[in-house]
Amino acid sequence: GGGGGGGGGGGFSPFNVGGNVVKGPLSNALVFLDYDGDGIQDSDEPSVRTDSSGGYTITAAQADYTLVAVADETTIDTSSGTVLSDVILKAPAGATVVTPTTTIMKESNLSADEVAAVLDLPDGIDPTSFNPYGSGVDAAKALAVEKISQQVMSVVNSFASAAEGAGADKTDAFAASMKSFVNVIKTKSSGSNKKIDLSDSTDLALIQTQVTSEVAKVSGVNTTAFNSLSSSTATAIKNVNDKIKTVTDITSDSSKNIFATTQVLKDQIKDAVTSEVTSAGSG
């Protein structure tokens, strides 16, 4: 708003921004409005913790913002009943959901349609508003969207975990992994074969290559340890994502168990790479 900040920026009326954080509904995630786009919460940027369905309402003092959701040690992914930590999701202003897909949109500057095409989302789905766990949604579309979401986070969290095991700071590890994933999505989007299959070895190898070069730039990383287990990490991700593919609903106990394996995998990968750092060949 133009003038020198007087009179509330030319009569700007604060308004409520509401929605849900979903990778499975995330309970007790910290959501804030990032006014300056740096991804870090400043003192003038309002925040709130999500409720058990991932829901939030925040009052915005300006129209231009990015939604940022931070999952920490107190955040529960209710789709699996497990803690989901060290994850940062984003969405553009106006979105009513914050998801892995909206994060890809925000970080890649691709449109909703472009990202939907690469991830092969069902027709007619707007990634900025579709909540698979919302009431009255089409069950088949909800299933398809959530399975892709779970697969995306299986990839990003697993490679981040390997980087962390190799010595990277948690935040740096997640950022490097997400950036690598986004770069592969951007490359796919501009190519002739747009679709990515996150249970396909060839597509996972593209991400692995990108992550390897990105992680090498992160301070404190033992690249030898990371690189020696990067192929095993990709194979393990494929195994978990193959399993996610078999899910036929998003609420049953068996589905929750499968979704929980992504967290188990994350822990196993970190342990393996940490071990590899100490003793080559032990990972």
Side-chain angles (χ1 to χ4, degrees):
F12 181 84
S13 301
F15 62 101
N16 279 348
V17 172
N20 294 78
V21 183
V22 190
K23 177 259 154 205
L26 296 188
S27 173
N28 212 47
L30 177 81
V31 182
F32 69 91
L33 302 183
D34 187 10
Y35 293 142
D36 60 3
D38 66 355
I40 297 160
Q41 189 188 3
D42 301 312
S43 56
D44 66 330
E45 294 174 338
S47 66
V48 68
R49 289 273 176 177
T50 56
D51 63 22
S52 60
S53 65
Y56 61 84
T57 305
I58 310 179
T59 304
Q62 59 180 69
D64 192 20
Y65 61 85
T66 297
L67 283 158
V68 180
V70 182
D72 57 27
E73 294 70 31
T74 68
T75 304
I76 301 291
D77 172 3
T78 62
S79 72
S80 62
T82 57
V83 170
L84 184 77
S85 63
D86 312 314
V87 166
I88 298 174
L89 300 176
K90 298 178 183 178
T96 54
V97 288
V98 186
T99 68
T101 307
T102 62
T103 307
I104 294 163
M105 279 178 59
K106 188 67 204 169
E107 301 285 20
S108 65
N109 291 319
L110 294 173
S111 69
D113 287 346
E114 286 169 326
V115 172
V118 178
L119 294 176
D120 202 15
L121 296 177
D123 289 345
I125 291 293
D126 178 355
T128 63
S129 62
F130 185 79
N131 179 0
Y133 292 87
S135 56
V137 296
D138 179 301
K141 287 182 175 176
L143 176 66
V145 169
E146 183 59 17
K147 279 161 76 166
I148 289 163
S149 222
Q150 296 277 351
Q151 286 186 332
V152 167
M153 292 315 295
S154 155
V155 174
V156 175
N157 280 340
S158 296
F159 281 123
S161 186
E164 200 190 322
D169 168 82
K170 286 177 178 178
T171 310
D172 292 346
F174 182 81
S177 186
M178 180 58 86
K179 183 180 177 185
S180 304
F181 189 90
V182 166
N183 283 343
V184 171
I185 298 292
K186 278 160 78 171
T187 305
K188 280 274 187 186
S189 180
S190 62
S192 53
N193 176 21
K194 293 196 188 319
K195 290 186 182 21
I196 195 165
D197 179 352
L198 297 176
S199 59
D200 177 80
S201 301
T202 311
D203 281 347
L204 288 172
L206 294 175
I207 301 166
Q208 178 193 336
T209 301
Q210 192 76 46
V211 173
T212 303
S213 65
E214 202 57 50
V215 166
K217 304 174 199 166
V218 177
S219 65
V221 171
N222 180 321
T223 51
T224 308
F226 180 87
N227 296 350
S228 67
L229 288 177
S230 63
S231 293
S232 305
T233 300
T235 303
I237 293 168
K238 175 179 163 46
N239 293 338
V240 168
N241 282 356
D242 278 338
K243 200 75 185 151
I244 290 171
K245 249 186 164 171
T246 67
V247 166
T248 53
D249 69 85
I250 56 178
T251 52
S252 71
D253 286 345
S254 67
S255 299
K256 283 189 168 186
N257 286 339
I258 289 171
F259 292 155
T261 57
T262 60
Q263 197 60 33
V264 175
L265 176 62
K266 186 182 165 184
D267 295 340
Q268 286 178 346
I269 289 170
K270 186 183 169 186
D271 290 346
V273 183
T274 304
S275 171
E276 187 71 17
V277 169
T278 314
S279 169
S282 66

